[in-house]
Amino acid sequence: GISDEHRRKLLRIARQLGNPFLYTDRKSYERIAQFSQKDAAAEPFPIPRERVFLADQVVDVSRAGRPRAASPADLAFIQFSSGSTSDPKGVQLTHGNLVANTLGAIQAARLRPDDVSLSWMPLTHDMGLIGLHIFMLTAGMNVLQMPTDLFVRRPLLWMQAASRHRASVLCSPNFGYRHYLKVLGERATDGLDLARVRIIFNGAEPISASLAEEFLDRLAPAGLRRGAMYPVYGLAEASVAVSFPEPLAPMRTLSLDRHRMGVGEPLQRLPRESRDALTLVAVGRAIPNCELRIAGDDDAPLAEGRFGHIQIRGGNVTAGYFANAAATTALKTADGWTRTGDLGLIDDGQLYITGRAKEILFVN
């Protein structure tokens, strides 16, 4: 963690788990243990020393481990939410959830063993760990991992590495494209060869159509295809992936009246240049092993072209939250669908995300 709030989150999660083990390095362990003693907002460190394993003390990494024969219903891991306003919620994912989402994503994106992926997404995030690591390894491709802090400090290395290693699958949230373009400035893209790139996953944040188009325009001289931009939608409760577009299809957008987007209302198209227009990017259709629908406030399905709550179900979807029965109950509808908390609509079979069902203010 890079802040006191990150460290408090870790301590809150440790207390939720009850009596966990901690695997870390000595420096990190000493830092978090000292923090829990000094910080007034933190409670005493909840993990006894005998349950802490230090990477510094591992001397024989060649000794083989014992494979765990897991069944589909066994818990694989728990994805904890940001917990910025309350205790983090732990999304329980089984091996069956992960396999269903992995196979569905590989099929939808047509990932192949001769692909090469390059990602700077951290492995502490579901898009980095599952989307750009587990998906890619399972597809049998070569996987390249760039340190996140290196991308933050020197973003131009991202496309230089993609060109050098002839990467075909890349990824970034919305902010990454802006960060890259800001540092690129008016520099020429001479020397970059991005002709082999066929997918750039764009997700994890609201997607700006104008920014995605600017990125494609700017890197077109390097051979980047316009159909490579790949806007996607997902969430931790779905393992990660919910909907993908058709690979190499042109990015689709929809400009709507921003003042007429209430739950149940029909879409009202506007010219993109209108001052009241909100331009949204299509994030495709539900991938195999996952279903989605748009529902009203009463959880009843709505017709295509109407705004509503995005709900999902399928083999990739969590059964609930760890040690949180109330949140798990609130997550599910009476007919077995999972509430995502996101709002959207379907137009011509394509999903568009319009916002969150609750008001959130992001500061810094």
Side-chain angles (χ1 to χ4, degrees):
I2 60 172
S3 70
D4 286 355
E5 188 49 43
H6 285 174
R7 298 178 185 103
R8 292 187 191 108
K9 175 186 173 182
L10 176 65
L11 295 174
R12 287 196 294 267
I13 289 173
R15 280 189 290 275
Q16 276 193 48
L17 294 175
N19 193 25
F21 292 100
L22 176 65
Y23 180 66
T24 186
D25 59 80
R26 181 177 297 279
K27 184 177 180 181
S28 298
Y29 167 66
E30 291 175 349
R31 185 183 300 125
I32 190 70
Q34 291 170 5
F35 172 79
S36 68
Q37 295 172 358
K38 298 178 181 178
D39 183 64
E43 297 177 24
F45 191 62
I47 306 175
R49 179 63 184 85
E50 60 269 18
R51 296 181 73 83
V52 177
F53 295 84
L54 300 179
D56 317 62
Q57 295 178 350
V58 176
V59 293
D60 182 8
V61 297
S62 65
R63 189 174 60 191
R66 292 191 301 274
R68 167 80 159 88
S71 70
D74 286 346
L75 190 65
F77 54 72
I78 304 173
Q79 296 199 98
F80 279 91
S81 65
S82 61
S84 54
T85 57
S86 61
D87 275 355
K89 288 186 292 188
V91 177
Q92 300 182 101
L93 295 180
T94 65
H95 289 272
N97 293 149
L98 292 171
V99 169
N101 206 214
T102 299
L103 297 182
I106 290 172
Q107 182 179 337
R110 299 179 192 164
L111 302 175
R112 309 184 301 256
D114 62 344
D115 276 318
V116 175
S117 73
L118 168 65
S119 172
W120 53 262
M121 297 287 287
L123 298 178
T124 52
H125 187 279
D126 54 3
M127 198 167 182
L129 176 63
I130 304 175
L132 270 292
H133 190 67
I134 293 177
F135 287 179
M136 307 298 149
L137 288 175
T138 306
M141 65 177 68
N142 282 338
V143 178
L144 304 171
Q145 183 71 28
M146 180 179 181
T148 304
D149 61 345
L150 181 58
F151 169 76
V152 172
R153 288 184 282 111
R154 300 181 64 189
L156 299 188
L157 293 179
W158 179 32
M159 289 299 151
Q160 291 171 13
S163 174
R164 184 169 65 254
H165 294 287
R166 305 187 73 239
S168 56
V169 179
L170 306 175
C171 176
S172 176
N174 192 76
F175 85 88
Y177 302 104
R178 170 62 61 206
H179 184 51
Y180 179 86
L181 291 174
K182 182 179 180 180
V183 176
L184 180 63
E186 300 301 318
R187 292 182 177 89
T189 55
D190 297 346
L192 290 182
D193 179 6
L194 303 177
R196 195 164 185 268
V197 176
R198 63 183 190 87
I199 286 179
I200 308 179
F201 286 97
N202 187 342
E205 290 181 354
I207 301 168
S208 165
S210 59
L211 178 56
E213 290 163 353
E214 181 185 353
F215 184 83
L216 291 171
D217 290 342
R218 193 70 179 83
L219 291 174
L224 183 64
R225 291 177 278 189
R226 296 201 70 78
M229 186 58 67
Y230 201 65
V232 296
Y233 168 67
L235 63 156
E237 285 80 356
S239 297
V240 63
V242 170
S243 66
F244 285 3
E246 184 70 15
L248 289 176
M251 188 175 70
R252 299 173 65 168
T253 62
L254 188 61
S255 295
L256 305 173
D257 185 343
R258 68 173 68 244
H259 305 298
R260 304 183 68 177
M261 298 173 65
V263 172
E265 287 190 285
L267 66 87
Q268 300 290 330
R269 302 176 194 270
L270 285 178
R272 186 166 176 174
E273 61 274 10
S274 170
R275 62 175 293 179
D276 293 321
L278 177 65
T279 299
L280 305 173
V281 177
V283 290
R285 304 171 185 269
I287 68 173
N289 304 323
C290 184
E291 297 177 82
L292 67 86
R293 73 179 184 184
I294 305 297
D297 290 332
D298 59 355
D299 292 327
L302 294 172
E304 182 169 310
R306 291 189 177 270
F307 298 98
H309 301 271
I310 301 172
Q311 299 178 352
I312 58 174
R313 70 179 180 185
N316 63 315
V317 180
T318 182
Y321 299 112
F322 177 79
N324 195 333
T328 298
T329 299
L331 183 68
K332 303 293 181 178
T333 66
D335 57 349
W337 289 74
T338 294
R339 299 182 174 98
T340 66
D342 293 316
L343 300 172
L345 82 156
I346 295 174
D347 179 63
D348 192 25
Q350 299 289 306
L351 176 65
Y352 294 83
I353 312 300
T354 61
R356 289 287 292 170
K358 60 182 180 180
E359 297 291 345
I360 298 177
L361 182 66
F362 290 98
V363 180
N364 291 333

